[in-house]
């Protein structure tokens, strides 16, 4: 627990507190987090010391014109600053209470997360910045722009029943060679972190494996992980088929969130996308969750094959934001990114 000069107090969140506070606040801000906050368990595991909430001691509130004073132990802001190894970090879940905005609580919380990431994280700190906050992030040193994320939004039902019905039928009959769930024993999960580093530049092998397992083993929770395996190429280390692409989808509050969607080309990406839609539509029919059967995919505008895929489906951009970096932009091949893992943690 640390206090700022203004009396703002920062508290590290354990997993239960992070799920309770971060999930609740995201819903109140009309964000679209994972179903029941289960995904936050994986986020918190990535860096248990990187999740913060802040309160203010009422006696330290000095603004005489303020009509509302935060109650003791009332949370006024939250954020996470997650370390990935020794040279990368990520800022996410940055929210200040609407009742107390404009008093500097948010900026102080932001700086607390930066303090957690430095000096250990010397090379690259990233975030996905909403348009309204881009200039503020630039003032805080996030001056390097990797790409613009476009949140493409479309119907999973239309995808399988109309737009790609022939492909969906083949998938349902298991006639697409190499298209399997991540839980399939032929999938070499050790290949996945390298795929993310190659395409997205992030180096977080344990998180990638945890994220894959989170989706691979819980179809009853409507979470699915998919891979497309090469029919003839093998991984040199494991001897298992080379992974040509993989993708994950999970129920959220107002849609299903897709992420990541990594693929060697647009054809592989389409097969992964349709396979996810087939699984989600079938799951919803068998045990309804009530989550709208639509997908949200955060796609980099710099990948022309991704733009072509989603433009061809008529999926519109409903939420743009910039992938910004403080320090060095990690080297990556964005042409393999058809959907980032998630905006909250990169």
């Amino acid at each position: 627990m640390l206090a700022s000069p203004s009396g703002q107090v920062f508290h590290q969140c354990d997993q239960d507190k992070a799920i309770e506070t971060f999930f609740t606040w995201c819903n109140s801000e009309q964000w679209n987090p994972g179903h029941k906050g289960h995904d936050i368990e994986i986020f918190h595991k990535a860096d248990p010391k990187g999740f913060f909430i802040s309160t203010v001691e009422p006696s330290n509130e000095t603004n005489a014109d303020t009509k509302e004073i935060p109650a003791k132990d009332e949370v006024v802001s939250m954020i996470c600053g997650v370390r990935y190894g020794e040279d990368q970090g990520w800022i996410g879940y940055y929210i200040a209470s609407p009742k107390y905005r404009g008093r500097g609580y948010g900026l102080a919380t932001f700086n607390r997360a930066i303090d957690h990431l430095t000096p250990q994280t010397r090379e690259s700190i990233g975030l996905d910045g909403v348009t309204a906050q881009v200039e503020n992030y630039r003032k805080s040193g996030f001056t390097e722009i990797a790409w613009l994320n476009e949140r493409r939004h479309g119907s999973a039902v239309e995808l399988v029943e109309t737009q790609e019905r022939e492909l969906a039928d083949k998938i349902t009959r298991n006639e697409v060679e190499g298209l399997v769930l991540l839980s399939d024993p032929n999938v070499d999960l050790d290949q996945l972190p390298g795929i993310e580093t190659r395409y997205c530049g992030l180096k977080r092998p344990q998180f990638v494996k945890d994220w894959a397992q989170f989706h691979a083993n819980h179809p009853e929770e409507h979470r699915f992980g998919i891979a497309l395996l090469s029919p003839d190429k093998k991984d040199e280390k494991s001897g298992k088929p080379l992974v040509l692409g993989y993708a994950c989808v999970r129920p959220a509050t107002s849609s299903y969130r897709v992420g990541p969607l990594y693929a060697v080309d647009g054809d592989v990406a389409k097969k992964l996308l349709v396979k996810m839609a087939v699984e989600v539509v079938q799951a919803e029919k068998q045990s309804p969750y009530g989550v709208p059967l639509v997908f949200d995919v955060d796609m980099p505008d710099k990948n022309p094959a991704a733009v072509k895929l989603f433009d061809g489906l008529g999926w519109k951009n409903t939420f743009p934001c910039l992938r910004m970096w403080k320090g060095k932009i990690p080297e990556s091949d964005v042409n393999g990114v058809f959907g980032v893992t998630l905006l909250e943690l990169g």
Side-chain angles (χ1 to χ4, degrees):
M1 182 185 298
L2 294 173
S4 71
S6 64
Q8 191 173 351
V9 181
F10 302 102
H11 314 261
Q12 284 183 345
C13 294
D14 60 21
Q15 187 180 96
D16 289 343
K17 188 65 175 178
I19 292 171
E20 174 191 350
T21 306
F22 283 58
F23 177 68
T24 301
W25 275 45
C26 285
N27 275 320
S28 69
E29 288 292 297
Q30 296 184 324
W31 285 19
N32 192 27
H35 190 65
K36 299 180 181 178
H38 293 317
D39 51 325
I40 295 176
E41 296 177 22
I42 308 301
F43 306 158
H44 191 270
K45 183 180 177 182
D47 185 353
K49 296 182 179 180
F51 285 70
F52 302 94
I53 57 175
S54 76
T55 60
V56 178
E57 295 297 328
S59 60
N60 290 318
E61 175 58 73
T62 58
N63 188 346
D65 296 328
T66 297
K67 294 182 179 179
E68 285 196 82
I69 304 244
K72 183 175 177 59
D73 298 327
E74 181 181 1
V75 177
V76 298
S77 59
M78 70 178 201
I79 200 166
C80 73
V82 175
R83 295 172 181 166
Y84 297 137
E86 296 181 355
D87 60 358
Q88 290 184 342
W90 195 267
I91 298 288
Y93 286 108
Y94 177 31
I95 302 177
S97 171
K99 292 192 295 183
Y100 308 119
R101 288 175 184 170
R103 305 188 197 182
Y105 296 152
L107 180 59
T109 307
F110 184 87
N111 290 335
R112 178 66 187 91
I114 294 293
D115 288 345
H116 172 69
L117 295 176
T118 54
Q120 290 89 342
T121 305
R122 294 184 174 89
E123 188 168 304
S124 306
I125 301 175
L127 56 78
D128 283 315
V130 297
T131 303
Q133 293 297 323
V134 164
E135 289 307 314
N136 288 331
Y137 292 137
R138 283 200 173 104
K139 292 175 184 178
S140 295
F142 289 80
T143 57
E144 302 299 317
I145 308 299
W147 58 67
L148 175 72
N149 285 308
E150 297 181 358
R151 176 163 294 175
R152 296 302 186 104
H153 180 85
S155 168
V157 176
E158 290 182 8
L159 186 63
V160 300
E161 294 185 356
T162 306
Q163 295 173 304
E164 295 292 337
R165 182 167 183 172
E166 182 178 352
L167 176 57
D169 288 344
K170 287 183 178 180
I171 289 172
T172 302
R173 296 192 300 265
N174 294 317
E175 293 177 356
V176 179
E177 185 177 10
L179 191 60
V180 297
L181 297 175
L182 285 180
S183 54
D184 189 288
N186 288 314
V187 177
D188 178 17
L189 294 180
D190 287 336
Q191 292 182 45
L192 305 190
I195 291 172
E196 181 171 77
T197 299
R198 183 188 323 139
Y199 291 147
C200 215
L202 293 167
K203 294 180 285 187
R204 48 183 185 177
Q206 190 57 54
F207 172 81
V208 171
K209 292 178 185 179
D210 289 343
W211 191 245
Q213 291 284 7
F214 176 72
H215 291 83
N217 299 324
H218 297 282
E220 74 284 356
E221 297 285 349
H222 293 205
R223 300 196 297 263
F224 298 96
I226 314 295
L228 187 62
L229 308 180
S230 171
D232 52 11
K233 296 181 180 179
K234 306 288 186 181
D235 178 73
E236 293 181 358
K237 292 183 179 179
S238 68
K240 290 188 174 184
L242 199 66
V243 178
L244 300 178
Y246 79 96
C248 297
V249 62
R250 69 191 191 279
T253 304
S254 56
S255 69
Y256 278 78
R257 293 278 294 272
V258 173
L261 176 51
Y262 297 139
V264 296
D265 57 38
D267 181 63
V268 171
K270 179 186 287 187
K271 289 174 180 176
L272 292 168
L273 184 67
V274 176
K275 172 67 170 173
M276 287 188 290
V278 167
E279 296 291 346
V280 163
V281 171
Q282 289 178 349
E284 181 65 19
K285 288 179 180 178
Q286 291 170 4
S287 66
Y289 262 23
V291 177
L293 284 171
V294 293
F295 281 1
D296 280 318
V297 189
D298 293 302
M299 175 212 78
D301 70 330
K302 286 190 176 180
N303 182 352
V307 173
K308 181 180 179 180
L309 172 61
F310 291 110
D311 279 355
L313 295 172
W315 289 20
K316 303 299 183 183
N317 176 17
T318 61
F319 182 72
C321 64
L322 283 178
R323 178 148 293 195
M324 310 176 73
W325 291 92
K326 179 183 176 73
K328 179 183 177 182
I329 299 178
E331 294 182 6
S332 63
D333 178 9
V334 73
N335 291 317
V337 186
F338 290 79
V340 302
T341 301
L342 65 164
L343 301 184
E344 291 85 354
L345 249 69

